[in-house]
Amino acid sequence: MSQNKSLSLSRRNFLKTSLLAGGGMLIGFNLLSACKPEAILPIDISKLNFNDFNAFIKISDEGYVTIFSPNPEIGQGVKTAMPMIIAEELDVDWNKVSVAQGIYDPKNYQRQVAGGSQSIRFGWDALRQTGATTKQMLVNAAAKQWGVNPSSCYASQGIITNANGDTLGYGEVVKVAANLEVPENIILKDPKDFKIIGHDITNVDIQKIITGKPLFGIDYSSEGMVYASVLRPPAFGDKLTSYDDQISRSINGVLDVIKFGNKIAVLGTNTWAAMKGKKAIVSRWEQDTKLESTDDHNFELLKILNGNKFKTNREDGNVKTAFKNADKIIERTFESPFLPHNCMEPMNFYANVTDKKVHLVGPIQTPAWTSGKIAKILDRKPEEIHLEMTRMGGGFGRRLYGDFAEEAAQISNIIKKPIQVIFSREDDMAAGTYRPAIKYRIKAAIKDGKLTAYHLKEAAINGNMYGLIANFFPAGCIPNYKVSTANYKSNITTGAWRAPFTNFLAFAEQSFFSEIASELEIDHPQLIIDLLQNVKGTTDERIQYSPERMEETINLVIKKSNWGETPEGVYQGFSAYYSHNTHVAEVADIELKNGMPVVKKVTVAVDCGIVVNPLGAKNQVEGGVIDGIGHAMYGDFSFKAGTPQSVNFDKYRLIRMEETPEVKSYFVESNLSPTGLGEPGLPPAGGAVANAIFKATGQRLLKQPFINQLEISESKILG
Amino acid sequence: MTNYTLKINGKKVTVTADEDTPLLWVLRDELLMKGTKFGCGIAQCGACTVHVNNIAVRSCSLPISSISEESITTIEGLSENGTHPVQLAWKEIDVPQCGYCQAGQIMTASAFLKVQPAPTKDEIREAMHGNICRCASYNRIEKAVKLAAKNS
């Protein structure tokens, strides 16, 4: 089971304190160097460097504190929550804190990644140590000034007080503090004394957001910058053979047209000219590799499920024998489509490649990985790459992949000008790193009224579930248990999408358990709680979830949702899922309107340990739930001969305001170290809705999106 | 290319652009007013919403040649320092997650409240239905619109 181990900051972990030219102190820590991540993240993310990172605190002579937030902000709230943790232990008035985005700086920060809901979990101990050590240095400096023992002084809200009642502000002692030895064996606060953590703190960028200040990558511009619109292959598998740019070049504002690799970039004095210029290019493409269609994917994935070429991810007991001896076997196949990410801010990046350096600015979840790739592509030294991260208009996994930044760097390298690549929405949806289509087949054996075997088969595209998932629920709960995986290689680019794999697996599993519960004539949440008893006290260290925490989370949602006590016409569905180290349980309430199900309310219970910022936490959980419902209901994306069939919001349906249910979120009270919230709210949502729809209409939904599957119930219309 | 004189946030500005250039790109690339956002380019998401004579309009689909004397308001000009009741409500409710769509949401909401100062929940949901928030902050948007109506 995963718990953060306490860290000690040793002298060698500490970088330095330095006096600033303009006054004040800059303090830097090499954080997390002792912390090895226990969790191996999704396959695409695990290649990234997860070792160490640093944080900086700047204190002015006036006592104002600037905290540099090292991790990329994609809307998950870390730019507010990570500095809150430092400020808590530093013990300053939050109103005197300003937060700045740290740049990509591998010497001083590490694990500058937004992915896997891990920023807070990995940062927790280290950020607290940073704040607490800095506070102790300031206390030591004040004690020195007074000529008293530091242990007779205490600090609170940016003020140090001694036994005589004398006070000094942090700003008054920073210069002395900066030259002191770094103290060791720092004592952290008791969580009951927290003044910032656990309190509602507004998004640190709120003022800029509501007044339209430049903040996002797409808002960046520099003197002499030109805009680039890129023509990419219309179909996955196409190769550029020739093109005619005569008309394009005649358009006002078009500066140049260049070919790079299999793509053409149109440079313009403004975005509109570049986009118009791109549309005016007459291009010819030929088939290079296979041109795949959704029908091909369905055929291939079913072929995998019906075959026997699987890898075993985990096997307990003897599944084969258990199925042979079963009274009844239930088997279902669950199917999902590809999904684009559709960040509201389309992909974009700024690059200025000069002989001296490569300057990159933009929205990226993986600055380290991307900088490294660009250094290789341009054959430059890593230290010549200077990458600034901006706030991101959504990430959802799309901005883990720096293809757009690579394009910007390549184009700037050719034309030797500062440029900004901007994707149109059509570019963004047609050149994705999609959540691939996936199919699960789940088979269960029932004997003497008990679940005796469970076999999950995964047929995926371009990769399978990451290593830990086979050890999520119900691993350890069922004596005969097996997870088998196999995949099909496609030339369509695929990648992580908010809660990789679990975003669909949770729906499949929790829909299946709802059906098993009906078969066993037991309430769905009760079935899960009964199964959880089997794993309590386990010595199996591979098991990822905590049965105690999951049970408590389920009990909380049952209580808060009035499970089973709804008025007539309201149908409830349950779902519980552990992912990204966080336990979540959800209940969806639906009603029928003209025979069609309408999700009215979702009650969600979460155990993420200590809630750092309740205001931000609720936003994440509620957004995750609605996102999960939206994609389960409407998310549909298909290919024909390698070409995406919907490339803008007129054809691709995202959930909107009138389809949004009320969401009530509740957190299990806890003193355990916090875990992430960017993803875990999403996976259970689809299952909760599907199970509620079953109760209302008797229809079991096995495929997403639901909107294509719903059978309108005549009797319900008439009734 | 033609010269156009526009009235934006109470000030007259002259820009040179092709007649089909959408107002969005004039604002962003010529005037470097980056608050109005690009989302879809086909008036489907609402990220680019501005006011034209107090009416919420999608600037991505509004050619500059179609504007003459109209008064244009963008997020930058909605108030001094973000003090419009809708902006204050957005702050109090802490609406944004990523924040990208919020300028468009605020512009839609503020135009709506001008014609419907005391909306019901359903009216708010209908009015805001055209603006996509990919982070799904919809319930907080509803609350903030309600709060702004109360405080206006």
Side-chain angles (χ1 to χ4, degrees), chain A residues 308-321:
Chain A
N308 55 9
K309 287 179 185 158
F310 284 94
K311 191 185 127 211
T312 301
N313 292 40
R314 178 176 170 128
E315 185 168 13
D316 301 342
N318 190 328
V319 171
K320 212 173 166 183
T321 309

PDB file of all heavy atoms in Angstrom, chain A residues 308-321:
ATOM      1  N   ASN A 308      -6.206 -16.185 -28.327  1.00  0.00           N
ATOM      2  CA  ASN A 308      -5.553 -16.631 -27.088  1.00  0.00           C
ATOM      3  C   ASN A 308      -4.129 -16.090 -26.944  1.00  0.00           C
ATOM      4  O   ASN A 308      -3.298 -16.681 -26.282  1.00  0.00           O
ATOM      5  CB  ASN A 308      -5.570 -18.162 -26.995  1.00  0.00           C
ATOM      6  CG  ASN A 308      -4.947 -18.793 -28.233  1.00  0.00           C
ATOM      7  OD1 ASN A 308      -4.367 -18.079 -29.062  1.00  0.00           O
ATOM      8  ND2 ASN A 308      -5.052 -20.100 -28.347  1.00  0.00           N
ATOM      9  N   LYS A 309      -3.882 -14.944 -27.599  1.00  0.00           N
ATOM     10  CA  LYS A 309      -2.526 -14.383 -27.493  1.00  0.00           C
ATOM     11  C   LYS A 309      -2.473 -13.283 -26.437  1.00  0.00           C
ATOM     12  O   LYS A 309      -2.336 -12.105 -26.748  1.00  0.00           O
ATOM     13  CB  LYS A 309      -2.100 -13.821 -28.857  1.00  0.00           C
ATOM     14  CG  LYS A 309      -1.782 -14.917 -29.835  1.00  0.00           C
ATOM     15  CD  LYS A 309      -1.379 -14.357 -31.172  1.00  0.00           C
ATOM     16  CE  LYS A 309      -1.175 -15.490 -32.170  1.00  0.00           C
ATOM     17  NZ  LYS A 309      -1.284 -15.022 -33.549  1.00  0.00           N
ATOM     18  N   PHE A 310      -2.607 -13.664 -25.194  1.00  0.00           N
ATOM     19  CA  PHE A 310      -2.632 -12.685 -24.106  1.00  0.00           C
ATOM     20  C   PHE A 310      -1.408 -12.817 -23.222  1.00  0.00           C
ATOM     21  O   PHE A 310      -0.829 -13.902 -23.078  1.00  0.00           O
ATOM     22  CB  PHE A 310      -3.882 -12.891 -23.232  1.00  0.00           C
ATOM     23  CG  PHE A 310      -5.143 -12.395 -23.857  1.00  0.00           C
ATOM     24  CD1 PHE A 310      -5.967 -13.254 -24.582  1.00  0.00           C
ATOM     25  CD2 PHE A 310      -5.517 -11.065 -23.722  1.00  0.00           C
ATOM     26  CE1 PHE A 310      -7.135 -12.798 -25.160  1.00  0.00           C
ATOM     27  CE2 PHE A 310      -6.688 -10.593 -24.300  1.00  0.00           C
ATOM     28  CZ  PHE A 310      -7.508 -11.466 -25.020  1.00  0.00           C
ATOM     29  N   LYS A 311      -1.079 -11.703 -22.623  1.00  0.00           N
ATOM     30  CA  LYS A 311      -0.062 -11.676 -21.575  1.00  0.00           C
ATOM     31  C   LYS A 311      -0.834 -11.679 -20.250  1.00  0.00           C
ATOM     32  O   LYS A 311      -1.879 -11.049 -20.142  1.00  0.00           O
ATOM     33  CB  LYS A 311       0.727 -10.365 -21.729  1.00  0.00           C
ATOM     34  CG  LYS A 311       1.969 -10.273 -20.904  1.00  0.00           C
ATOM     35  CD  LYS A 311       2.594  -8.870 -21.065  1.00  0.00           C
ATOM     36  CE  LYS A 311       2.813  -8.297 -19.692  1.00  0.00           C
ATOM     37  NZ  LYS A 311       2.714  -6.869 -19.596  1.00  0.00           N
ATOM     38  N   THR A 312      -0.324 -12.408 -19.264  1.00  0.00           N
ATOM     39  CA  THR A 312      -1.010 -12.411 -17.971  1.00  0.00           C
ATOM     40  C   THR A 312      -0.401 -11.349 -17.065  1.00  0.00           C
ATOM     41  O   THR A 312       0.796 -11.372 -16.794  1.00  0.00           O
ATOM     42  CB  THR A 312      -0.898 -13.800 -17.300  1.00  0.00           C
ATOM     43  OG1 THR A 312      -1.478 -14.761 -18.189  1.00  0.00           O
ATOM     44  CG2 THR A 312      -1.633 -13.841 -15.973  1.00  0.00           C
ATOM     45  N   ASN A 313      -1.222 -10.414 -16.620  1.00  0.00           N
ATOM     46  CA  ASN A 313      -0.727  -9.350 -15.737  1.00  0.00           C
ATOM     47  C   ASN A 313      -0.775  -9.767 -14.273  1.00  0.00           C
ATOM     48  O   ASN A 313       0.023  -9.310 -13.468  1.00  0.00           O
ATOM     49  CB  ASN A 313      -1.551  -8.075 -15.906  1.00  0.00           C
ATOM     50  CG  ASN A 313      -1.353  -7.437 -17.258  1.00  0.00           C
ATOM     51  OD1 ASN A 313      -1.261  -8.135 -18.275  1.00  0.00           O
ATOM     52  ND2 ASN A 313      -1.271  -6.122 -17.304  1.00  0.00           N
ATOM     53  N   ARG A 314      -1.745 -10.610 -13.956  1.00  0.00           N
ATOM     54  CA  ARG A 314      -1.829 -11.119 -12.590  1.00  0.00           C
ATOM     55  C   ARG A 314      -2.729 -12.342 -12.613  1.00  0.00           C
ATOM     56  O   ARG A 314      -3.737 -12.365 -13.317  1.00  0.00           O
ATOM     57  CB  ARG A 314      -2.410 -10.051 -11.647  1.00  0.00           C
ATOM     58  CG  ARG A 314      -2.559 -10.548 -10.205  1.00  0.00           C
ATOM     59  CD  ARG A 314      -3.043  -9.475  -9.245  1.00  0.00           C
ATOM     60  NE  ARG A 314      -3.366 -10.146  -7.973  1.00  0.00           N
ATOM     61  CZ  ARG A 314      -2.906  -9.776  -6.786  1.00  0.00           C
ATOM     62  NH1 ARG A 314      -2.135  -8.726  -6.665  1.00  0.00           N
ATOM     63  NH2 ARG A 314      -3.236 -10.461  -5.692  1.00  0.00           N
ATOM     64  N   GLU A 315      -2.369 -13.352 -11.838  1.00  0.00           N
ATOM     65  CA  GLU A 315      -3.241 -14.527 -11.722  1.00  0.00           C
ATOM     66  C   GLU A 315      -3.195 -15.060 -10.304  1.00  0.00           C
ATOM     67  O   GLU A 315      -2.128 -15.294  -9.752  1.00  0.00           O
ATOM     68  CB  GLU A 315      -2.837 -15.621 -12.719  1.00  0.00           C
ATOM     69  CG  GLU A 315      -3.808 -16.789 -12.696  1.00  0.00           C
ATOM     70  CD  GLU A 315      -3.636 -17.778 -13.841  1.00  0.00           C
ATOM     71  OE1 GLU A 315      -2.590 -17.703 -14.537  1.00  0.00           O
ATOM     72  OE2 GLU A 315      -4.527 -18.622 -14.028  1.00  0.00           O
ATOM     73  N   ASP A 316      -4.356 -15.212  -9.713  1.00  0.00           N
ATOM     74  CA  ASP A 316      -4.469 -15.798  -8.375  1.00  0.00           C
ATOM     75  C   ASP A 316      -5.322 -17.060  -8.499  1.00  0.00           C
ATOM     76  O   ASP A 316      -6.305 -17.070  -9.238  1.00  0.00           O
ATOM     77  CB  ASP A 316      -5.198 -14.850  -7.413  1.00  0.00           C
ATOM     78  CG  ASP A 316      -4.500 -13.502  -7.264  1.00  0.00           C
ATOM     79  OD1 ASP A 316      -3.313 -13.403  -7.614  1.00  0.00           O
ATOM     80  OD2 ASP A 316      -5.168 -12.551  -6.791  1.00  0.00           O
ATOM     81  N   GLY A 317      -4.981 -18.089  -7.737  1.00  0.00           N
ATOM     82  CA  GLY A 317      -5.785 -19.319  -7.711  1.00  0.00           C
ATOM     83  C   GLY A 317      -5.802 -19.995  -9.064  1.00  0.00           C
ATOM     84  O   GLY A 317      -4.834 -19.919  -9.824  1.00  0.00           O
ATOM     85  N   ASN A 318      -6.914 -20.615  -9.372  1.00  0.00           N
ATOM     86  CA  ASN A 318      -7.034 -21.317 -10.653  1.00  0.00           C
ATOM     87  C   ASN A 318      -8.367 -20.954 -11.304  1.00  0.00           C
ATOM     88  O   ASN A 318      -9.414 -21.499 -10.970  1.00  0.00           O
ATOM     89  CB  ASN A 318      -6.929 -22.835 -10.420  1.00  0.00           C
ATOM     90  CG  ASN A 318      -6.792 -23.580 -11.740  1.00  0.00           C
ATOM     91  OD1 ASN A 318      -7.324 -23.150 -12.768  1.00  0.00           O
ATOM     92  ND2 ASN A 318      -6.067 -24.683 -11.713  1.00  0.00           N
ATOM     93  N   VAL A 319      -8.276 -20.005 -12.199  1.00  0.00           N
ATOM     94  CA  VAL A 319      -9.474 -19.472 -12.840  1.00  0.00           C
ATOM     95  C   VAL A 319     -10.172 -20.544 -13.681  1.00  0.00           C
ATOM     96  O   VAL A 319     -11.395 -20.683 -13.667  1.00  0.00           O
ATOM     97  CB  VAL A 319      -9.088 -18.242 -13.696  1.00  0.00           C
ATOM     98  CG1 VAL A 319     -10.244 -17.786 -14.549  1.00  0.00           C
ATOM     99  CG2 VAL A 319      -8.617 -17.098 -12.798  1.00  0.00           C
ATOM    100  N   LYS A 320      -9.361 -21.320 -14.383  1.00  0.00           N
ATOM    101  CA  LYS A 320      -9.897 -22.340 -15.294  1.00  0.00           C
ATOM    102  C   LYS A 320     -10.780 -23.335 -14.541  1.00  0.00           C
ATOM    103  O   LYS A 320     -11.911 -23.623 -14.950  1.00  0.00           O
ATOM    104  CB  LYS A 320      -8.716 -23.068 -15.947  1.00  0.00           C
ATOM    105  CG  LYS A 320      -8.994 -23.540 -17.347  1.00  0.00           C
ATOM    106  CD  LYS A 320      -7.724 -24.086 -17.964  1.00  0.00           C
ATOM    107  CE  LYS A 320      -8.045 -24.861 -19.213  1.00  0.00           C
ATOM    108  NZ  LYS A 320      -6.842 -25.466 -19.799  1.00  0.00           N
ATOM    109  N   THR A 321     -10.255 -23.859 -13.437  1.00  0.00           N
ATOM    110  CA  THR A 321     -11.003 -24.833 -12.645  1.00  0.00           C
ATOM    111  C   THR A 321     -12.273 -24.222 -12.073  1.00  0.00           C
ATOM    112  O   THR A 321     -13.335 -24.838 -12.075  1.00  0.00           O
ATOM    113  CB  THR A 321     -10.110 -25.366 -11.495  1.00  0.00           C
ATOM    114  OG1 THR A 321      -8.879 -25.783 -12.059  1.00  0.00           O
ATOM    115  CG2 THR A 321     -10.754 -26.530 -10.771  1.00  0.00           C
TER     116      THR A 321
END
